[in-house]
Every structure is written in C-alpha cells, then in structure tokens.
Amino acid sequence: MDAMAEIKPISEAGQAPDRIPLEEVYMRMAEELAKRSTCARLQVGTVITTPDLTQVLGIGYNGNARGLPNRCDTATPGACGCLHSEQNALIKAGAQLAGKVMFVSASPCVMCAKMAINANVARVYYREAYRDPAGLDTLRQGGVEVIQYNRWRDLWR
C-alpha cells in the first residue's frame, strides 16, 4: 500500500457515546496486556491496529525474549534487559502498512518512538506519561500524532 491510509478521527462529541469507543477498547486491551509483563519496574502493554481500527496487527508487553527466563536480567533501572512492549508489538505488526495506530499504556521511550516512526505508525494513544517525555517529542518531530487518552476511562466498567 503506497498511499497513507486515512486514520479514523476521535469522536469529539461532548457527551458519552452509546457504546464504548474502539479507542477505549484498544487502550484497555493494552492495559490488560501490561499485566502479563514480567518487568519489575514498569509493566507496559501495546496494541497496534490498522488505520480504520478494524484489525489488530500486533500486540506486546515488556519482558524477556521468548525462551529466556520470565524475569528481568538485572534490577538496574533502565537496564533490566526487557524488550519493550512497543518493540514486541512492532515486530508482529510489520512496517509496510502506512498509517498504523498504536495504543500503549505508558508513553514510548525515545528508541521505541523512533521504531514507531520507521514502522509507519501515524498516531499514538497513550494512557500514562512515561517518566521521560522525550519519546513524545521524538514522535511529534517524526510527524506522528500523539494523544494522551483518558476521555472515557471510567465509563463502561
């Protein structure tokens, strides 16, 4: 697919929709995936979809590589050895389709942001801000739309 696919816009209506928006469904999926993480410091989950939000292309959570022990390699913050959730999801989603949408429970680090840019992600929704906001700046510099998404967090529970 050469041309960038159109990204479905967020509903801007003031009152809650009749049913849960797909953005909230995918964000909740990312939060549930984070619960599978074996990282001792921060559990993160990611879902990557098609631009129209009709298909899941990849999922991920942070942890060790397949076949290795389900634990961090070290307790050193920032050097635990875990693959990031975004990396695991991007590996599965591939890079060819333009305009992908990423839902992540915590905003990406700089390296994951760069990977997302190169993998043709056009929009990133995140629930919580990571301790270092540089990844969000990198995404914006790369032309990726960035949205902190909490709009319907407490509804449909």
Side-chain angles (χ1 to χ4, degrees):
M1 177 178 235
D2 294 320
M4 181 180 270
E6 185 175 329
I7 300 173
K8 178 183 174 283
I10 301 173
S11 171
E12 295 297 330
Q15 69 182 54
D18 293 337
R19 59 187 179 155
I20 188 170
L22 286 172
E23 291 90 349
E24 184 62 25
V25 169
Y26 292 131
M27 186 58 72
R28 290 182 188 190
M29 285 177 66
E31 290 172 324
E32 290 300 310
L33 285 163
K35 294 174 184 176
R36 287 190 52 83
S37 170
T38 57
C39 185
R41 191 182 58 78
L42 179 64
Q43 296 177 312
V44 181
T46 299
V47 175
I48 299 175
T49 71
T50 55
D52 63 1
L53 307 182
T54 62
Q55 296 178 55
V56 172
L57 301 173
I59 62 169
Y61 47 89
N62 52 336
N64 217 336
R66 181 177 47 235
L68 298 181
N70 284 326
R71 64 178 185 273
C72 297
D73 294 340
T74 142
T76 305
C80 72
C82 290
L83 290 169
H84 292 192
S85 70
E86 302 94 329
Q87 293 170 322
N88 277 322
L90 286 165
I91 288 166
K92 297 168 189 145
Q96 302 310 314
L97 177 64
K100 288 188 285 296
V101 181
M102 177 184 283
F103 296 85
V104 62
S105 59
S107 59
C109 71
V110 170
M111 291 308 292
C112 287
K114 289 178 178 182
M115 290 178 65
I117 292 165
N118 280 0
N120 290 309
V121 171
R123 182 184 286 168
V124 173
Y125 292 91
Y126 67 97
R127 189 73 98 190
E128 304 295 334
Y130 182 60
R131 60 187 161 95
D132 179 2
L136 296 174
D137 294 336
T138 300
L139 288 168
R140 290 182 188 106
Q141 290 171 4
V144 176
E145 184 180 8
V146 177
I147 301 165
Q148 185 168 20
Y149 188 76
N150 284 315
R151 184 165 188 156
W152 310 116
R153 183 179 204 163
D154 298 325
L155 297 178
W156 300 285
R157 292 275 178 194

